[in-house]
Amino acid sequence: MQLNKLFLLHALIFLVATGAANVALGKQNAPAAAPAQGGQAGGGQGGQRAGGPPPPPMRLVSTDIADGKPIAGKFTCAAGADAVSPALQWMQAPRGTESFALIVHDMEPRPRKGVDDILHWMVWNMPPTANQLPENVSSASADLPDGSHQTNGFAGQNGNFGYRPPCPPQDVPVAHHYAFEIFALDQKLDLPAAASRADLLKAMDGHIAGHAALVAPFNR
């Protein structure tokens, strides 16, 4: 009787061991799980997010000036009192834009060795539907017809509130570079008509949704 019990115990151990080995072998030979479509976590063709490609960047263009090309004389002090502001057009503003601001400045001079260069024009609170400034914007008033405001940093001296044409020193061989920068903002700005560029930059900080620029040289 004891021999029979011992035989049955050995048989049971053998069967359990054989079964465990077969299970392990089956796992080893099982085909690998197919990767998720797209081959990466998060899916999407080429690893892109499901939301699709990012929107195109904002652009600033002009029929009057070209990026990297010298500014024509009619838009500079070479034209004297007949100088006018150039036409500017912008496109592909980001969704949620509530206003636009423009800053035009001479990038070379550093008065008093400070961070500011020379401001030539700034316009703020242009409506979100705006996509251009025409040639020869009137400089007679700080207030423009669309509700926006302009200044050139001289608080209307000589009756000029708007575009101040580029006018670098004469007979200097190295051109000055004039940046025309457009900013898309996620809100309108609460600024006085006589706001400085520092005031505008402080108000824009944290609200810039898009930006584009043209830089054009000029010397005389």
Side-chain angles (χ1 to χ4, degrees), residues 48-200:
Q48 293 178 347
R49 294 183 177 181
M58 190 173 171
R59 293 182 59 212
L60 178 65
V61 298
S62 174
T63 56
D64 293 330
I65 57 176
D67 194 46
K69 301 293 181 64
I71 302 173
K74 68 180 289 188
F75 307 111
T76 74
C77 67
D82 294 326
V84 297
S85 62
L88 300 169
Q89 300 86 37
W90 53 92
M91 58 200 69
Q92 297 166 186
R95 186 177 299 177
T97 297
E98 292 295 330
S99 70
F100 294 99
L102 173 77
I103 298 177
V104 179
H105 56 110
D106 181 353
M107 300 171 66
E108 263 67 41
R110 295 290 165 178
R112 298 178 295 279
K113 300 180 181 179
V115 294
D116 281 342
D117 49 28
I118 300 298
L119 177 68
H120 281 262
W121 193 24
M122 66 184 198
V123 186
W124 69 95
N125 279 352
M126 289 182 281
T129 54
N131 60 10
Q132 65 174 326
L133 282 167
E135 183 181 296
N136 194 18
V137 173
S138 174
S139 61
S141 172
D143 301 317
L144 295 176
D146 63 2
S148 59
H149 306 279
Q150 65 175 349
T151 185
N152 54 35
F154 284 88
Q157 292 181 14
N158 302 320
N160 184 344
F161 291 87
Y163 179 74
R164 188 159 57 95
C167 199
Q170 285 186 298
D171 302 321
V172 176
V174 178
H176 283 212
H177 291 79
Y178 295 86
F180 295 73
E181 298 188 77
I182 189 76
F183 298 86
L185 307 176
D186 64 8
Q187 67 174 21
K188 289 187 68 174
L189 304 179
D190 184 14
L191 289 171
S196 67
R197 176 166 46 166
D199 294 332
L200 177 59

Side-chain angles (χ1 to χ4, degrees), residues 31-53:
Q37 189 172 359
Q40 296 186 13
Q45 187 173 1
Q48 293 178 347
R49 294 183 177 181

